[in-house]
Amino acid sequence: MKAEQLPDARDTRGLKVAVVGGGISGLGAAWLLSQRHAVTLFEAGRYAGGHANTVDVTVDGITHPVDTGFLVFNRRTYPNLCGLFETLQVPVANSEMSFSVSLAQPDIEWAGTDLVSLFAQPANLARPAFWGMLADIRRFNAETTRLAREHNAPAMSLGEYLDRNGYGEAFRHWYLIPMAAAIWSCPTQQMLAYPLATFLRFCHNHGLLQIMDRPQWQTVAGGSREYVRRITAQLSDVRLNTPVIAVEREAAGVSVLTAQGSERFDALIFACHSDQALRILGQQASSLEEAVLGAVRYQYNRALLHTDAGLLPRRNRAWSAWNYRAGAGRADDRPVSVSYLINRLQPVPFRSPVVVSLNPFDEPAPGSLIQSFDYEHPVFDQGAIDAQAHLPMLQGRNRTWFCGAWTGYGFHEDGLKSAVDVAAQLGVVAPWRANPLPQVEEALA
């Protein structure tokens, strides 16, 4: 079935559209398309939202919502998310994006908030390697800002760039790789393989290569479930605990099989991880779909919500919103360990620290664990970046579209942007988009 056989979405109302996946991409696509078409949202899990996962926490005798996945955004680099929030009248509050590094071997601890946190460990004043790290930070920011602005980054990995330009071990292991691994929730060794151009483009756009004029970060007041609730309240057919087992694509339509039976649709949108979409397609997958969807790998991450301050930096002056920690030995081949101090990230009423720790190398103290969660994050190696370039060749073929955070940098904005693009190809332009995107026949040409 050629995509061109699908009725022109601009002139057609009432298509039956199946959206597989209830994260930001699926919610965004379903909400947009429901303005013109009949949409059914299939979510395998017990809640809609994906990484927008808010739970009620009772600490200090007070119960308040806390986010455990998606936490922050900013108005400079999350235009679609901000447009969605404004349209839905989602309440927001300012947040902070301070960062600390706490290593056991060597014993090094510092944070970048101010001079007090920078030298929270007084021994840093007498460490030549620490001063070398600070000098390398200034040099790296200046050199890579120029490369990003001129779109002139050489075709190599981040690790190769550091080697060729003589960046010190302290800069790598006490700053850059911990920061990058914490942002992308992946092992440090994988960050060294990250394509340089993509890494610099992201860091430049998010103000990570500059000291001044960084964007103001924000969070959803009341937790990210506030936006999820607003979207699902406007959807007429949301099916939780309903994993899609298989699909069958034919000239006349798409059959979606769940435990409840088979149902016919005019169009199918995969808004889940690429490997999940490939598993559902099974033998129905084309060779191109197998190549593109199969090229993106995922990193499993275990998140623990707890109140153990022992999983924060040893020195209180170094406590930050994001706290990278590593135990004895090199952490290159193990999952990244980072603790998010919710008290700094969200307006919570707790005096005791409330922490979400990703892959902690020490378990929280007995009695401090509140809840645990399993997440997966895409790994952006060269294979994944190459696959993204070929994604347009899949869109609309066999009545099928794909969206998800894996199509961009792996963040909430990327997931929503991909949904906005798919919706536009099916005749629905996001209300915050000033200029409509190309319509379906142009996108599929």
Side-chain angles (χ1 to χ4, degrees), residues 13-18 33-40 236 265:
R13 291 182 180 273
L15 290 177
K16 285 190 65 178
V17 181
L33 291 172
S34 65
Q35 301 171 37
R36 181 182 292 264
H37 307 299
V39 180
T40 298
S236 60
F265 294 91

Side-chain angles (χ1 to χ4, degrees), residues 275-319:
D275 60 343
Q276 295 171 332
L278 190 56
R279 284 196 298 270
I280 294 171
L281 286 171
Q283 294 185 351
Q284 280 266 314
S286 68
S287 57
L288 184 58
E289 286 172 334
E290 289 180 348
V292 174
L293 302 177
V296 183
R297 298 182 295 116
Y298 291 83
Q299 171 67 43
Y300 166 77
N301 290 298
R302 174 174 173 252
L304 302 181
L305 175 63
H306 62 90
T307 57
D308 183 8
L311 271 65
L312 295 171
R314 298 178 294 279
R315 298 161 180 84
N316 289 18
R317 288 184 298 177
W319 285 11

Side-chain angles (χ1 to χ4, degrees), residues 420-421 424 429-439:
V420 168
D421 292 346
V429 178
W432 56 86
R433 281 279 180 100
N435 299 311
L437 294 175
Q439 298 296 337

Side-chain angles (χ1 to χ4, degrees), residues 149-230:
R149 284 176 175 168
E150 297 174 358
H151 304 285
N152 196 30
M156 62 177 65
S157 69
L158 176 61
E160 289 174 318
Y161 179 81
L162 298 179
D163 289 339
R164 291 192 184 186
N165 290 274
Y167 284 96
E169 290 292 306
F171 169 77
R172 298 178 191 226
H173 298 294
W174 300 355
Y175 168 68
L176 185 66
I177 302 305
M179 178 190 70
I183 290 173
W184 274 278
S185 303
C186 73
T188 55
Q189 190 63 37
Q190 290 181 359
M191 284 313 309
L192 291 172
Y194 203 108
L196 177 67
T198 305
F199 178 83
L200 296 186
R201 186 165 57 250
F202 174 87
C203 291
H204 177 65
N205 291 344
H206 285 72
L208 299 177
L209 301 178
Q210 59 200 61
I211 303 300
M212 306 300 292
D213 192 32
R214 290 191 171 186
Q216 171 65 58
W217 290 85
Q218 295 183 302
T219 188
V220 177
S224 57
R225 68 183 177 194
E226 289 298 323
Y227 89 75
V228 175
R229 286 172 171 171
R230 283 166 168 77

